[in-house]
Amino acid sequence: GAVAETVEVSSDASAVDVTQSKVQVTVSREALDSLPEGRSFQSMIPFAAGARQEPLQGGANGFQVDGASNGENVYLIDGVNTTNILTGGVGKSFNLDFVEEVQVKSSSFEAEYGGALGGVINAIGKRGSNSWHGTMVAYLSTNALNANSLDRQLRANPATSINTTTRQDATPEYLSQKKDFNTTVEPGYTVGGALMKNKLWIFSSYIPSISTTRRTTTFTGANPGPRTLTSTTTQHNAYNRLDYGVTSNLRLFASWNYGYFRQTGTLGTADN
């Protein structure tokens, strides 16, 4: 008889979860490793629909979500509210090397976040697994790799004014501020694994940020002349976490996020 062959291709239709009405975007670790990113979790917020950076509301850490102002958002790290209690907005940075995923809930989120009128941003830290993994990292940022400043300022040059009272006859001119010498170095590590397989896991990381800025300023008065002033900042970024599996459905964890900051030295006004 004749040979007959039938090939059937089928797939299950995606289930619609009618119990969830929230609008949420989750940026996973795989996406973080393949995307250009900043040094803290808030650089991932604009990936959510309706979320945008708003420099006029908190500078580089100001964000609008679904039209709400920066002060109406809630920012969480491992579920702990870290929103700035004085002005709102991001209250604490969290190094992106410590982050497993970033959740941005823009609307219709759970009742437990009822205090948020804008968005809810939750950064979830990394945790240990049954396999040991680790990384050694180093980041370098220097003004030598930056373009020249194009931010020009229009002013009246007081040196060209004859009328020393109003100086309205001064010659207008454009000035560009000179770049500071700046170097930022961030060496560190991340490591995680199992102290007891399927029971006790640990994750540890430490990536300090050491920044040095030098600026040359021309002084007048008793000791006139150019002087180079230096300011150094040190940010100790550490994240450690311990997970314990009570049962197959229950896990307890404790985490410690350390971010001590210290600055020494003061810079003068930059010469143009």
Short mmCIF file of all heavy atoms in Angstrom, two decimals, residues 199-248:
data_model
loop_
_atom_site.label_atom_id
_atom_site.label_comp_id
_atom_site.label_asym_id
_atom_site.label_seq_id
_atom_site.Cartn_x
_atom_site.Cartn_y
_atom_site.Cartn_z
N LYS A 199 20.41 24.04 50.79
CA LYS A 199 19.98 24.46 52.13
C LYS A 199 20.47 25.85 52.50
O LYS A 199 19.69 26.67 52.99
CB LYS A 199 20.49 23.44 53.15
CG LYS A 199 19.74 23.48 54.47
CD LYS A 199 18.30 23.05 54.29
CE LYS A 199 17.54 22.99 55.60
NZ LYS A 199 16.12 22.61 55.40
N LEU A 200 21.76 26.12 52.30
CA LEU A 200 22.33 27.38 52.77
C LEU A 200 23.23 27.96 51.68
O LEU A 200 24.17 27.30 51.23
CB LEU A 200 23.13 27.16 54.05
CG LEU A 200 23.67 28.40 54.77
CD1 LEU A 200 22.53 29.30 55.25
CD2 LEU A 200 24.56 27.99 55.94
N TRP A 201 22.94 29.20 51.27
CA TRP A 201 23.67 29.84 50.18
C TRP A 201 24.19 31.20 50.63
O TRP A 201 23.61 31.85 51.50
CB TRP A 201 22.78 30.04 48.95
CG TRP A 201 22.13 28.79 48.45
CD1 TRP A 201 22.62 27.93 47.52
CD2 TRP A 201 20.87 28.27 48.86
NE1 TRP A 201 21.74 26.89 47.31
CE2 TRP A 201 20.66 27.07 48.12
CE3 TRP A 201 19.90 28.67 49.79
CZ2 TRP A 201 19.51 26.30 48.27
CZ3 TRP A 201 18.76 27.91 49.94
CH2 TRP A 201 18.58 26.72 49.18
N ILE A 202 25.30 31.62 50.03
CA ILE A 202 25.90 32.90 50.40
C ILE A 202 26.30 33.67 49.13
O ILE A 202 26.64 33.06 48.11
CB ILE A 202 27.14 32.70 51.30
CG1 ILE A 202 27.63 34.05 51.85
CG2 ILE A 202 28.25 31.98 50.55
CD1 ILE A 202 28.75 33.92 52.87
N PHE A 203 26.21 34.99 49.22
CA PHE A 203 26.70 35.86 48.14
C PHE A 203 27.41 37.03 48.80
O PHE A 203 26.93 37.62 49.78
CB PHE A 203 25.55 36.38 47.27
CG PHE A 203 26.00 37.37 46.22
CD1 PHE A 203 26.57 36.92 45.04
CD2 PHE A 203 25.88 38.74 46.41
CE1 PHE A 203 27.01 37.82 44.08
CE2 PHE A 203 26.30 39.64 45.46
CZ PHE A 203 26.87 39.18 44.28
N SER A 204 28.60 37.37 48.26
CA SER A 204 29.39 38.47 48.81
C SER A 204 29.97 39.30 47.67
O SER A 204 30.36 38.75 46.63
CB SER A 204 30.52 37.93 49.69
OG SER A 204 31.34 38.99 50.17
N SER A 205 30.03 40.61 47.87
CA SER A 205 30.58 41.49 46.83
C SER A 205 31.06 42.79 47.47
O SER A 205 30.53 43.25 48.48
CB SER A 205 29.52 41.79 45.76
OG SER A 205 28.35 42.34 46.36
N TYR A 206 32.07 43.36 46.84
CA TYR A 206 32.63 44.63 47.31
C TYR A 206 33.28 45.33 46.13
O TYR A 206 34.22 44.81 45.51
CB TYR A 206 33.65 44.39 48.42
CG TYR A 206 34.36 45.65 48.89
CD1 TYR A 206 33.65 46.72 49.44
CD2 TYR A 206 35.75 45.77 48.79
CE1 TYR A 206 34.28 47.86 49.87
CE2 TYR A 206 36.39 46.91 49.23
CZ TYR A 206 35.66 47.96 49.77
OH TYR A 206 36.30 49.10 50.19
N ILE A 207 32.77 46.51 45.77
CA ILE A 207 33.31 47.30 44.66
C ILE A 207 33.40 48.76 45.11
O ILE A 207 32.43 49.52 44.96
CB ILE A 207 32.44 47.17 43.39
CG1 ILE A 207 32.26 45.70 43.01
CG2 ILE A 207 33.07 47.95 42.23
CD1 ILE A 207 31.39 45.49 41.79
N PRO A 208 34.51 49.19 45.69
CA PRO A 208 34.65 50.59 46.10
C PRO A 208 34.85 51.49 44.89
O PRO A 208 35.30 51.06 43.83
CB PRO A 208 35.88 50.56 46.99
CG PRO A 208 36.70 49.44 46.43
CD PRO A 208 35.72 48.40 45.97
N SER A 209 34.51 52.75 45.07
CA SER A 209 34.69 53.76 44.02
C SER A 209 35.58 54.87 44.59
O SER A 209 35.22 55.53 45.57
CB SER A 209 33.34 54.34 43.59
OG SER A 209 33.51 55.36 42.62
N ILE A 210 36.76 55.05 43.98
CA ILE A 210 37.74 56.04 44.45
C ILE A 210 37.91 57.08 43.35
O ILE A 210 38.36 56.75 42.24
CB ILE A 210 39.08 55.37 44.79
CG1 ILE A 210 38.86 54.25 45.81
CG2 ILE A 210 40.07 56.40 45.32
CD1 ILE A 210 40.08 53.38 46.01
N SER A 211 37.54 58.31 43.65
CA SER A 211 37.57 59.36 42.64
C SER A 211 38.45 60.51 43.11
O SER A 211 38.38 60.95 44.27
CB SER A 211 36.14 59.89 42.38
OG SER A 211 36.15 60.93 41.43
N THR A 212 39.29 61.01 42.19
CA THR A 212 40.18 62.13 42.47
C THR A 212 39.94 63.23 41.44
O THR A 212 39.98 62.96 40.23
CB THR A 212 41.65 61.71 42.42
OG1 THR A 212 41.87 60.67 43.39
CG2 THR A 212 42.57 62.88 42.74
N THR A 213 39.68 64.43 41.92
CA THR A 213 39.44 65.58 41.04
C THR A 213 40.41 66.70 41.38
O THR A 213 40.55 67.07 42.56
CB THR A 213 37.99 66.11 41.18
OG1 THR A 213 37.09 65.03 40.91
CG2 THR A 213 37.73 67.25 40.22
N ARG A 214 41.09 67.22 40.36
CA ARG A 214 42.03 68.33 40.54
C ARG A 214 41.58 69.50 39.67
O ARG A 214 41.22 69.32 38.51
CB ARG A 214 43.46 67.92 40.21
CG ARG A 214 44.04 66.94 41.20
CD ARG A 214 45.57 66.91 41.11
NE ARG A 214 46.03 66.35 39.85
CZ ARG A 214 46.31 65.08 39.68
NH1 ARG A 214 46.15 64.23 40.67
NH2 ARG A 214 46.74 64.63 38.51
N ARG A 215 41.62 70.69 40.23
CA ARG A 215 41.19 71.90 39.53
C ARG A 215 42.19 73.03 39.78
O ARG A 215 42.60 73.27 40.92
CB ARG A 215 39.79 72.32 40.00
CG ARG A 215 39.27 73.60 39.39
CD ARG A 215 37.89 73.94 39.93
NE ARG A 215 36.93 72.89 39.58
CZ ARG A 215 35.69 72.86 40.06
NH1 ARG A 215 35.28 73.79 40.91
NH2 ARG A 215 34.85 71.89 39.70
N THR A 216 42.57 73.73 38.71
CA THR A 216 43.49 74.85 38.82
C THR A 216 42.69 76.15 38.85
O THR A 216 41.88 76.41 37.96
CB THR A 216 44.47 74.87 37.64
OG1 THR A 216 45.22 73.65 37.65
CG2 THR A 216 45.42 76.06 37.76
N THR A 217 42.92 76.94 39.88
CA THR A 217 42.21 78.20 40.08
C THR A 217 43.23 79.32 40.27
O THR A 217 44.21 79.15 41.01
CB THR A 217 41.28 78.13 41.30
OG1 THR A 217 40.34 77.08 41.11
CG2 THR A 217 40.53 79.44 41.49
N THR A 218 43.00 80.45 39.63
CA THR A 218 43.89 81.61 39.77
C THR A 218 43.39 82.47 40.93
O THR A 218 42.28 82.99 40.90
CB THR A 218 43.93 82.44 38.48
OG1 THR A 218 44.38 81.61 37.40
CG2 THR A 218 44.87 83.62 38.64
N PHE A 219 44.23 82.61 41.95
CA PHE A 219 43.88 83.39 43.13
C PHE A 219 44.36 84.83 42.97
O PHE A 219 45.36 85.10 42.30
CB PHE A 219 44.51 82.77 44.39
CG PHE A 219 43.80 81.55 44.88
CD1 PHE A 219 43.97 80.32 44.24
CD2 PHE A 219 42.97 81.62 45.98
CE1 PHE A 219 43.33 79.19 44.69
CE2 PHE A 219 42.32 80.48 46.45
CZ PHE A 219 42.49 79.27 45.80
N THR A 220 43.64 85.74 43.60
CA THR A 220 44.05 87.14 43.69
C THR A 220 44.15 87.53 45.16
O THR A 220 43.67 86.81 46.03
CB THR A 220 43.03 88.04 42.98
OG1 THR A 220 41.74 87.90 43.61
CG2 THR A 220 42.90 87.69 41.50
N GLY A 221 44.77 88.65 45.43
CA GLY A 221 44.90 89.10 46.81
C GLY A 221 46.32 89.07 47.28
O GLY A 221 47.26 89.39 46.53
N ALA A 222 46.52 88.63 48.52
CA ALA A 222 47.85 88.67 49.12
C ALA A 222 48.81 87.70 48.43
O ALA A 222 49.99 88.00 48.27
CB ALA A 222 47.75 88.35 50.61
N ASN A 223 48.32 86.54 48.06
CA ASN A 223 49.17 85.53 47.41
C ASN A 223 48.57 85.16 46.05
O ASN A 223 47.95 84.09 45.91
CB ASN A 223 49.31 84.28 48.30
CG ASN A 223 49.98 84.59 49.62
OD1 ASN A 223 51.06 85.15 49.64
ND2 ASN A 223 49.33 84.21 50.71
N PRO A 224 48.70 86.04 45.07
CA PRO A 224 48.08 85.78 43.77
C PRO A 224 48.81 84.69 43.00
O PRO A 224 49.97 84.38 43.26
CB PRO A 224 48.21 87.13 43.07
CG PRO A 224 49.42 87.76 43.68
CD PRO A 224 49.45 87.31 45.12
N GLY A 225 48.08 84.12 42.03
CA GLY A 225 48.68 83.12 41.17
C GLY A 225 47.84 81.85 41.10
O GLY A 225 46.91 81.65 41.90
N PRO A 226 48.13 80.98 40.16
CA PRO A 226 47.37 79.74 40.00
C PRO A 226 47.74 78.70 41.07
O PRO A 226 48.89 78.57 41.45
CB PRO A 226 47.77 79.26 38.60
CG PRO A 226 49.13 79.84 38.38
CD PRO A 226 49.15 81.16 39.10
N ARG A 227 46.74 78.00 41.54
CA ARG A 227 46.95 76.90 42.48
C ARG A 227 46.07 75.73 42.08
O ARG A 227 44.95 75.91 41.61
CB ARG A 227 46.57 77.33 43.92
CG ARG A 227 47.33 78.52 44.45
CD ARG A 227 46.92 78.83 45.87
NE ARG A 227 47.33 80.17 46.27
CZ ARG A 227 46.98 80.76 47.41
NH1 ARG A 227 46.19 80.11 48.26
NH2 ARG A 227 47.40 81.97 47.70
N THR A 228 46.57 74.54 42.28
CA THR A 228 45.83 73.33 41.96
C THR A 228 45.28 72.73 43.26
O THR A 228 46.05 72.38 44.16
CB THR A 228 46.72 72.30 41.24
OG1 THR A 228 47.20 72.87 40.02
CG2 THR A 228 45.93 71.04 40.93
N LEU A 229 43.97 72.65 43.33
CA LEU A 229 43.29 72.09 44.49
C LEU A 229 42.80 70.69 44.16
O LEU A 229 42.43 70.38 43.03
CB LEU A 229 42.12 72.98 44.91
CG LEU A 229 42.48 74.45 45.18
CD1 LEU A 229 41.23 75.23 45.54
CD2 LEU A 229 43.50 74.56 46.30
N THR A 230 42.78 69.82 45.17
CA THR A 230 42.42 68.41 44.97
C THR A 230 41.30 68.02 45.92
O THR A 230 41.30 68.38 47.09
CB THR A 230 43.64 67.50 45.21
OG1 THR A 230 44.69 67.87 44.32
CG2 THR A 230 43.27 66.04 44.98
N SER A 231 40.35 67.27 45.38
CA SER A 231 39.27 66.70 46.18
C SER A 231 39.20 65.20 45.89
O SER A 231 39.21 64.78 44.73
CB SER A 231 37.92 67.35 45.84
OG SER A 231 36.86 66.74 46.56
N THR A 232 39.14 64.40 46.94
CA THR A 232 39.10 62.94 46.81
C THR A 232 37.84 62.41 47.50
O THR A 232 37.55 62.78 48.64
CB THR A 232 40.34 62.29 47.43
OG1 THR A 232 41.51 62.80 46.79
CG2 THR A 232 40.30 60.78 47.26
N THR A 233 37.12 61.55 46.80
CA THR A 233 35.94 60.91 47.38
C THR A 233 36.12 59.40 47.34
O THR A 233 36.67 58.84 46.39
CB THR A 233 34.66 61.28 46.61
OG1 THR A 233 34.77 60.84 45.26
CG2 THR A 233 34.44 62.79 46.63
N THR A 234 35.65 58.75 48.40
CA THR A 234 35.72 57.30 48.50
C THR A 234 34.34 56.77 48.86
O THR A 234 33.75 57.19 49.86
CB THR A 234 36.73 56.85 49.56
OG1 THR A 234 38.02 57.40 49.24
CG2 THR A 234 36.82 55.34 49.61
N GLN A 235 33.81 55.89 48.02
CA GLN A 235 32.51 55.27 48.26
C GLN A 235 32.72 53.76 48.41
O GLN A 235 33.18 53.09 47.50
CB GLN A 235 31.56 55.53 47.09
CG GLN A 235 30.22 54.82 47.19
CD GLN A 235 29.20 55.59 48.01
OE1 GLN A 235 29.15 56.81 47.95
NE2 GLN A 235 28.38 54.87 48.75
N HIS A 236 32.43 53.23 49.62
CA HIS A 236 32.58 51.80 49.87
C HIS A 236 31.26 51.10 49.55
O HIS A 236 30.29 51.23 50.31
CB HIS A 236 32.99 51.54 51.32
CG HIS A 236 34.34 52.09 51.68
ND1 HIS A 236 35.50 51.43 51.37
CD2 HIS A 236 34.71 53.24 52.29
CE1 HIS A 236 36.55 52.13 51.79
NE2 HIS A 236 36.09 53.24 52.35
N ASN A 237 31.21 50.38 48.43
CA ASN A 237 30.00 49.68 48.01
C ASN A 237 30.16 48.19 48.29
O ASN A 237 31.02 47.53 47.70
CB ASN A 237 29.74 49.89 46.52
CG ASN A 237 29.61 51.37 46.17
OD1 ASN A 237 28.81 52.08 46.74
ND2 ASN A 237 30.41 51.82 45.22
N ALA A 238 29.32 47.67 49.19
CA ALA A 238 29.39 46.25 49.53
C ALA A 238 27.97 45.70 49.66
O ALA A 238 27.06 46.40 50.12
CB ALA A 238 30.16 46.03 50.83
N TYR A 239 27.79 44.46 49.23
CA TYR A 239 26.50 43.79 49.37
C TYR A 239 26.75 42.33 49.71
O TYR A 239 27.46 41.63 48.98
CB TYR A 239 25.69 43.90 48.08
CG TYR A 239 24.35 43.19 48.14
CD1 TYR A 239 23.31 43.69 48.93
CD2 TYR A 239 24.13 42.03 47.41
CE1 TYR A 239 22.09 43.04 48.99
CE2 TYR A 239 22.90 41.37 47.46
CZ TYR A 239 21.89 41.89 48.25
OH TYR A 239 20.67 41.25 48.30
N ASN A 240 26.20 41.87 50.83
CA ASN A 240 26.37 40.49 51.28
C ASN A 240 24.99 39.93 51.64
O ASN A 240 24.16 40.63 52.23
CB ASN A 240 27.30 40.42 52.50
CG ASN A 240 28.69 40.93 52.19
OD1 ASN A 240 29.50 40.24 51.59
ND2 ASN A 240 28.97 42.17 52.57
N ARG A 241 24.79 38.68 51.26
CA ARG A 241 23.47 38.07 51.45
C ARG A 241 23.62 36.60 51.83
O ARG A 241 24.45 35.88 51.28
CB ARG A 241 22.63 38.21 50.18
CG ARG A 241 21.31 37.47 50.22
CD ARG A 241 20.42 37.86 49.05
NE ARG A 241 19.24 37.01 48.99
CZ ARG A 241 18.06 37.39 48.52
NH1 ARG A 241 17.91 38.62 48.07
NH2 ARG A 241 17.04 36.57 48.48
N LEU A 242 22.77 36.15 52.77
CA LEU A 242 22.74 34.77 53.22
C LEU A 242 21.32 34.24 53.09
O LEU A 242 20.38 34.85 53.62
CB LEU A 242 23.22 34.66 54.67
CG LEU A 242 23.46 33.25 55.22
CD1 LEU A 242 24.63 32.60 54.50
CD2 LEU A 242 23.72 33.30 56.72
N ASP A 243 21.13 33.14 52.34
CA ASP A 243 19.81 32.53 52.14
C ASP A 243 19.76 31.17 52.82
O ASP A 243 20.72 30.38 52.75
CB ASP A 243 19.53 32.36 50.65
CG ASP A 243 19.25 33.68 49.95
OD1 ASP A 243 20.21 34.42 49.68
OD2 ASP A 243 18.08 33.94 49.68
N TYR A 244 18.61 30.88 53.43
CA TYR A 244 18.40 29.60 54.10
C TYR A 244 17.08 29.01 53.63
O TYR A 244 16.02 29.65 53.74
CB TYR A 244 18.40 29.78 55.62
CG TYR A 244 18.09 28.51 56.38
CD1 TYR A 244 18.99 27.45 56.38
CD2 TYR A 244 16.90 28.36 57.08
CE1 TYR A 244 18.72 26.27 57.07
CE2 TYR A 244 16.61 27.19 57.78
CZ TYR A 244 17.53 26.14 57.76
OH TYR A 244 17.25 24.98 58.43
N GLY A 245 17.12 27.79 53.10
CA GLY A 245 15.91 27.12 52.64
C GLY A 245 15.27 26.35 53.77
O GLY A 245 15.75 25.27 54.14
N VAL A 246 14.18 26.89 54.32
CA VAL A 246 13.48 26.20 55.42
C VAL A 246 12.77 24.97 54.87
O VAL A 246 12.92 23.85 55.38
CB VAL A 246 12.48 27.16 56.09
CG1 VAL A 246 11.76 26.45 57.25
CG2 VAL A 246 13.19 28.40 56.60
N THR A 247 11.98 25.17 53.83
CA THR A 247 11.33 24.07 53.11
C THR A 247 11.51 24.33 51.62
O THR A 247 12.12 25.33 51.22
CB THR A 247 9.83 23.98 53.46
OG1 THR A 247 9.15 25.16 52.98
CG2 THR A 247 9.63 23.87 54.97
N SER A 248 10.94 23.46 50.80
CA SER A 248 11.04 23.66 49.35
C SER A 248 10.26 24.88 48.89
O SER A 248 10.51 25.41 47.81
CB SER A 248 10.53 22.42 48.61
OG SER A 248 9.17 22.15 48.97
#
